Amino acid sequence: MGRVVVDVMPKPEILDPQGKAVAGALPRLGFDQFVSVRQGKRFELEVEGDVTPEVLDAAQRAAETVLSNPVIEDVVRVADIEADAAATVESEGLA
Amino acid sequence: MGRVVVDVMPKPEILDPQGKAVAGALPRLGFDQFVSVRQGKRFELEVEGDVTPEVLDAAQRAAETVLSNPVIEDVVRVADIEADAAATVESEGLA
């Protein structure tokens, strides 16, 4: 079982009310480090076998046609989830 | 200006109706490679200066208390967005 991660974010010129709401809430809760927040979506697509280049190519097409609205959103990443592992371990080390 | 990415996913045992809806739509649109889909959230937090270990630590705490609901969601990644760059370029090469 392989997994592909697809990250979709609102385009920079698009207003992002969810992100604005989070950005407003953070300082009230003691987090004053963050000057702005954008909120997007993360999809994890599971495939039967390995994540081949063909699977990544299909995921890229699905990301652009089904998982995002190209008028208001950008697909910022399509990747084999294994490529994520290092960063995940790194962040878990902070907990 | 540095940016921290926080990824939040529904816990594996939690039903994910959005992901199920996407998983149902994909085969109808010709994508039959994907056996299941989970949908979560991606946040990009912007800071004034560099992404220091202190900033990552604050982001981890914000992720666990503000950006996710620990009853139903897991924080799967907190990372300096620069660590993402390689994977992003890789996926852009597929487009």
Side-chain angles (χ1 to χ4, degrees), chain A residues 20-93:
Chain A
K20 284 248 184 293
V22 173
L26 284 173
R28 291 199 300 272
L29 294 157
F31 300 102
D32 50 11
Q33 300 87 344
F34 307 109
V35 295
S36 89
V37 178
R38 306 283 288 170
Q39 179 173 343
K41 291 179 283 187
R42 173 188 165 106
F43 297 91
E44 293 182 2
L45 311 176
E46 200 165 83
V47 291
E48 284 285 354
D50 289 336
V51 176
T52 61
E54 289 72 31
V55 165
L56 278 177
D57 188 53
Q60 179 79 36
R61 280 182 289 115
E64 288 167 2
T65 54
V66 185
L67 306 179
S68 70
N69 176 347
V71 177
I72 57 167
E73 293 171 322
D74 287 324
V75 176
V76 296
R77 192 167 61 136
V78 176
D80 185 345
I81 214 163
E82 295 305 312
D84 249 16
T88 306
V89 169
E90 188 183 303
S91 73
E92 282 172 356

Side-chain angles (χ1 to χ4, degrees), chain A residues 7 35-36 40 42 46 78 91, chain B residues 7 35-36 40 42 46 78 91:
Chain A
D7 287 333
V35 295
S36 89
R42 173 188 165 106
E46 200 165 83
V78 176
S91 73
Chain B
D7 287 333
V35 295
S36 89
R42 173 188 165 106
E46 200 165 84
V78 176
S91 74

